[in-house]
């Protein structure tokens, strides 16, 4: 399998972390949607990452679809999900985390790609991001377990840590650890894991 995209993207990184935790071999091509846009679009008409090329040549074009396929390659008991009764909750946490990251990407592009950024749009993005951060903090603060859903890491844990790392790097100062202590402790615990250290890249702004 070939995973395309840079690890400063929370979406690419969470796929790389999952693949590594599963012990599945893959080739990583750190292509940028700006510097390598034509190469990416030749595979994925949306020209976005992550993009994954499977062994049979099939191309998957978003992180949700990629992770669904990756999960199918390991026994059900080893998949990065909590117990069945917590699965819906995990999906909600993942959706909030990925939505938070997506809003951060939109805000970044608004700031750097437009001569006159739209203040109304920026305020809306920041409001959505702050509300989502508060919701995630409130949820995590109710749990004292090492990971969100117990003693084992799940896709939800990975999505949250990757999203907060990306926003912390691309929007310095937006996240204050003092304001979200439960999330800060959660992400610190995950970033200390060897897999998160290995699947990592400093934020590279588009040139």
């Amino acid at each position: 399998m070939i995973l395309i995209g840079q690890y400063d993207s929370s979406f690419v990184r969470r796929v790389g972390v999952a693949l590594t935790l599963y012990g599945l071999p893959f080739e990583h091509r750190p292509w940028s949607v700006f510097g390598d846009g034509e190469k990416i679009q030749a595979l994925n008409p949306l020209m976005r990452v992550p993009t994954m090329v499977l062994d049979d040549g099939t191309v998957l074009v978003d992180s949700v679809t990629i992770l669904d396929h990756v999960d199918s390659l390991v026994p059900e008991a080893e998949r990065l999900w909590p117990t069945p009764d917590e699965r819906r909750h995990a999906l909600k946490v993942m959706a909030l985390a990925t939505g938070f990251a997506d809003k951060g990407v939109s805000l970044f592009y608004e700031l750097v790609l437009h001569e006159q950024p739209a203040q109304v749009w920026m305020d809306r993005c920041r409001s959505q991001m702050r509300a989502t951060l508060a919701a995630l903090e409130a949820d995590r603060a109710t749990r004292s377990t090492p990971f969100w859903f117990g003693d084992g890491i799940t896709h939800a844990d990975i999505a949250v840590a990757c999203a907060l790392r990306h926003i912390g790097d691309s929007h310095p100062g937006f996240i204050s650890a003092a304001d979200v202590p439960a999330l800060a402790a959660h992400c610190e615990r995950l970033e200390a894991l060897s897999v998160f250290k290995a699947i990592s890249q400093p934020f590279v702004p588009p040139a």
Side-chain angles (χ1 to χ4, degrees):
M1 296 181 287
I2 302 170
L3 174 61
I4 296 169
Q6 298 187 344
Y7 287 146
D8 63 349
S9 160
S10 65
F11 300 94
V12 178
R13 191 183 186 207
R14 74 188 191 116
V15 172
V17 168
L19 285 165
T20 304
L21 286 172
Y22 284 149
L24 295 171
F26 68 99
E27 176 187 341
H28 178 221
R29 295 183 184 175
W31 293 353
S32 161
V33 293
F34 286 90
D36 305 291
E38 290 184 2
K39 291 193 290 186
I40 294 173
Q41 196 168 46
L43 297 167
N44 180 352
L46 292 169
M47 197 168 66
R48 68 183 185 188
V49 293
T51 293
M52 174 169 276
V53 183
L54 305 185
D55 294 341
D56 64 1
T58 300
V59 179
L60 304 180
V61 298
D62 68 271
S63 59
V64 174
T65 306
I66 292 169
L67 288 174
D68 180 70
H69 171 72
V70 168
D71 282 345
S72 75
L73 302 179
V74 298
E76 186 172 0
E78 297 176 16
R79 295 172 188 170
L80 297 169
W81 289 101
T83 57
D85 60 317
E86 291 270 40
R87 184 182 175 94
R88 185 174 295 177
H89 191 166
L91 286 167
K92 178 181 178 180
V93 171
M94 289 167 60
L96 288 172
T98 55
F100 176 72
D102 191 51
K103 284 296 173 181
V105 172
S106 295
L107 177 59
F108 183 83
Y109 287 160
E110 185 68 28
L111 286 164
V112 303
L113 296 182
H114 298 160
E115 284 190 21
Q116 294 183 324
Q119 191 63 48
V120 171
W121 177 248
M122 292 192 298
D123 289 346
R124 181 178 177 83
C125 286
R126 291 187 178 113
S127 173
Q128 291 169 303
M129 292 168 69
R130 291 190 188 100
T132 303
L133 202 59
L136 288 169
E137 170 66 15
D139 192 334
R140 188 62 176 103
T142 65
R143 297 169 179 265
S144 59
T145 51
F147 298 101
W148 211 288
F149 295 97
D151 294 328
I153 190 171
T154 67
H155 286 303
D157 296 288
I158 298 168
V160 170
C162 289
L164 266 69
R165 165 68 180 276
H166 170 73
I167 299 303
D169 287 354
S170 59
H171 298 281
F174 185 85
I175 301 173
S176 168
D179 293 337
V180 287
L183 283 179
H186 175 87
C187 293
E188 183 179 2
R189 182 178 298 111
L190 268 73
E191 292 290 354
L193 298 176
S194 58
V195 63
F196 275 79
K197 293 179 179 179
I199 308 298
S200 180
Q201 174 189 322
F203 178 65
V204 180

Short mmCIF file of all heavy atoms in Angstrom, two decimals, residues 101-122:
data_model
loop_
_atom_site.label_atom_id
_atom_site.label_comp_id
_atom_site.label_asym_id
_atom_site.label_seq_id
_atom_site.Cartn_x
_atom_site.Cartn_y
_atom_site.Cartn_z
N ALA A 101 -10.23 19.84 13.03
CA ALA A 101 -9.05 19.96 12.17
C ALA A 101 -9.41 20.58 10.83
O ALA A 101 -8.68 21.43 10.30
CB ALA A 101 -8.41 18.59 11.97
N ASP A 102 -10.54 20.17 10.27
CA ASP A 102 -10.96 20.69 8.97
C ASP A 102 -11.24 22.19 9.04
O ASP A 102 -10.87 22.94 8.13
CB ASP A 102 -12.22 19.93 8.51
CG ASP A 102 -12.55 20.21 7.06
OD1 ASP A 102 -11.67 20.09 6.20
OD2 ASP A 102 -13.71 20.54 6.78
N LYS A 103 -11.86 22.64 10.12
CA LYS A 103 -12.10 24.08 10.28
C LYS A 103 -10.77 24.82 10.42
O LYS A 103 -10.62 25.96 9.94
CB LYS A 103 -12.99 24.34 11.49
CG LYS A 103 -14.45 24.01 11.24
CD LYS A 103 -15.01 24.95 10.16
CE LYS A 103 -16.40 24.56 9.75
NZ LYS A 103 -16.93 25.44 8.68
N GLY A 104 -9.81 24.19 11.07
CA GLY A 104 -8.49 24.81 11.19
C GLY A 104 -7.80 24.98 9.85
O GLY A 104 -7.14 26.00 9.61
N VAL A 105 -7.97 23.99 8.98
CA VAL A 105 -7.41 24.09 7.63
C VAL A 105 -8.07 25.24 6.87
O VAL A 105 -7.41 26.05 6.22
CB VAL A 105 -7.58 22.76 6.87
CG1 VAL A 105 -7.17 22.92 5.41
CG2 VAL A 105 -6.75 21.66 7.53
N SER A 106 -9.40 25.32 6.95
CA SER A 106 -10.13 26.39 6.26
C SER A 106 -9.68 27.76 6.76
O SER A 106 -9.49 28.69 5.96
CB SER A 106 -11.64 26.23 6.49
OG SER A 106 -12.12 25.05 5.89
N LEU A 107 -9.52 27.89 8.07
CA LEU A 107 -9.10 29.16 8.64
C LEU A 107 -7.69 29.52 8.19
O LEU A 107 -7.41 30.67 7.84
CB LEU A 107 -9.16 29.08 10.16
CG LEU A 107 -8.69 30.32 10.94
CD1 LEU A 107 -9.50 31.54 10.57
CD2 LEU A 107 -8.77 30.04 12.44
N PHE A 108 -6.81 28.53 8.16
CA PHE A 108 -5.43 28.79 7.73
C PHE A 108 -5.39 29.28 6.29
O PHE A 108 -4.72 30.27 5.98
CB PHE A 108 -4.58 27.53 7.88
CG PHE A 108 -3.14 27.73 7.52
CD1 PHE A 108 -2.25 28.25 8.45
CD2 PHE A 108 -2.67 27.44 6.24
CE1 PHE A 108 -0.92 28.47 8.12
CE2 PHE A 108 -1.35 27.65 5.91
CZ PHE A 108 -0.47 28.17 6.85
N TYR A 109 -6.12 28.61 5.41
CA TYR A 109 -6.12 29.02 4.01
C TYR A 109 -6.72 30.42 3.84
O TYR A 109 -6.26 31.21 3.01
CB TYR A 109 -6.90 28.01 3.16
CG TYR A 109 -6.17 26.71 2.93
CD1 TYR A 109 -6.86 25.55 2.56
CD2 TYR A 109 -4.78 26.63 3.07
CE1 TYR A 109 -6.19 24.36 2.35
CE2 TYR A 109 -4.12 25.44 2.87
CZ TYR A 109 -4.82 24.31 2.50
OH TYR A 109 -4.17 23.12 2.28
N GLU A 110 -7.74 30.72 4.63
CA GLU A 110 -8.34 32.06 4.56
C GLU A 110 -7.31 33.12 4.94
O GLU A 110 -7.23 34.19 4.31
CB GLU A 110 -9.54 32.14 5.49
CG GLU A 110 -10.31 33.45 5.41
CD GLU A 110 -11.03 33.64 4.08
OE1 GLU A 110 -11.40 32.64 3.44
OE2 GLU A 110 -11.22 34.81 3.69
N LEU A 111 -6.49 32.82 5.92
CA LEU A 111 -5.51 33.78 6.41
C LEU A 111 -4.34 33.97 5.45
O LEU A 111 -3.86 35.10 5.28
CB LEU A 111 -4.97 33.32 7.77
CG LEU A 111 -5.90 33.49 8.97
CD1 LEU A 111 -5.41 32.66 10.15
CD2 LEU A 111 -5.99 34.96 9.35
N VAL A 112 -3.89 32.89 4.81
CA VAL A 112 -2.65 32.98 4.04
C VAL A 112 -2.85 33.09 2.53
O VAL A 112 -1.94 33.53 1.83
CB VAL A 112 -1.71 31.79 4.34
CG1 VAL A 112 -1.39 31.70 5.82
CG2 VAL A 112 -2.30 30.47 3.84
N LEU A 113 -4.01 32.72 2.03
CA LEU A 113 -4.19 32.70 0.58
C LEU A 113 -4.97 33.90 0.05
O LEU A 113 -5.04 34.10 -1.16
CB LEU A 113 -4.90 31.41 0.16
CG LEU A 113 -4.13 30.11 0.42
CD1 LEU A 113 -4.93 28.91 -0.09
CD2 LEU A 113 -2.74 30.12 -0.22
N HIS A 114 -5.57 34.67 0.94
CA HIS A 114 -6.36 35.83 0.51
C HIS A 114 -5.70 37.13 0.97
O HIS A 114 -5.28 37.24 2.12
CB HIS A 114 -7.78 35.75 1.05
CG HIS A 114 -8.55 34.56 0.58
ND1 HIS A 114 -9.65 34.08 1.23
CD2 HIS A 114 -8.38 33.75 -0.51
CE1 HIS A 114 -10.13 33.02 0.58
NE2 HIS A 114 -9.36 32.81 -0.47
N GLU A 115 -5.63 38.09 0.07
CA GLU A 115 -5.07 39.38 0.45
C GLU A 115 -5.91 40.05 1.52
O GLU A 115 -5.38 40.71 2.42
CB GLU A 115 -4.98 40.30 -0.78
CG GLU A 115 -3.84 39.97 -1.72
CD GLU A 115 -3.66 41.04 -2.78
OE1 GLU A 115 -4.13 42.19 -2.56
OE2 GLU A 115 -3.06 40.73 -3.81
N GLN A 116 -7.22 39.89 1.41
CA GLN A 116 -8.13 40.45 2.41
C GLN A 116 -9.01 39.32 2.96
O GLN A 116 -10.09 39.05 2.43
CB GLN A 116 -8.99 41.55 1.79
CG GLN A 116 -8.20 42.79 1.35
CD GLN A 116 -9.12 43.88 0.82
OE1 GLN A 116 -10.13 43.61 0.18
NE2 GLN A 116 -8.76 45.12 1.09
N PRO A 117 -8.54 38.65 4.01
CA PRO A 117 -9.33 37.57 4.59
C PRO A 117 -10.70 38.06 5.04
O PRO A 117 -10.86 39.19 5.49
CB PRO A 117 -8.49 37.12 5.79
CG PRO A 117 -7.10 37.57 5.46
CD PRO A 117 -7.26 38.85 4.70
N ALA A 118 -11.69 37.20 4.88
CA ALA A 118 -13.07 37.54 5.27
C ALA A 118 -13.23 37.40 6.78
O ALA A 118 -13.17 36.29 7.31
CB ALA A 118 -14.05 36.63 4.54
N GLN A 119 -13.41 38.52 7.46
CA GLN A 119 -13.49 38.51 8.91
C GLN A 119 -14.67 37.69 9.42
O GLN A 119 -14.57 36.96 10.41
CB GLN A 119 -13.59 39.94 9.45
CG GLN A 119 -13.41 40.03 10.97
CD GLN A 119 -12.03 39.59 11.41
OE1 GLN A 119 -11.02 40.00 10.84
NE2 GLN A 119 -11.99 38.73 12.43
N VAL A 120 -15.81 37.78 8.73
CA VAL A 120 -16.99 37.03 9.15
C VAL A 120 -16.71 35.53 9.10
O VAL A 120 -17.07 34.78 10.02
CB VAL A 120 -18.20 37.37 8.26
CG1 VAL A 120 -19.36 36.43 8.55
CG2 VAL A 120 -18.62 38.81 8.47
N TRP A 121 -16.05 35.10 8.03
CA TRP A 121 -15.72 33.67 7.90
C TRP A 121 -14.71 33.24 8.95
O TRP A 121 -14.86 32.17 9.56
CB TRP A 121 -15.19 33.39 6.50
CG TRP A 121 -14.75 31.97 6.29
CD1 TRP A 121 -13.48 31.52 6.10
CD2 TRP A 121 -15.58 30.81 6.27
NE1 TRP A 121 -13.46 30.15 5.97
CE2 TRP A 121 -14.74 29.69 6.06
CE3 TRP A 121 -16.95 30.61 6.40
CZ2 TRP A 121 -15.23 28.40 5.99
CZ3 TRP A 121 -17.44 29.31 6.33
CH2 TRP A 121 -16.58 28.23 6.13
N MET A 122 -13.70 34.05 9.20
CA MET A 122 -12.70 33.71 10.21
C MET A 122 -13.33 33.63 11.59
O MET A 122 -13.04 32.71 12.37
CB MET A 122 -11.56 34.72 10.20
CG MET A 122 -10.71 34.66 8.94
SD MET A 122 -9.18 35.62 9.11
CE MET A 122 -9.83 37.28 9.35
#
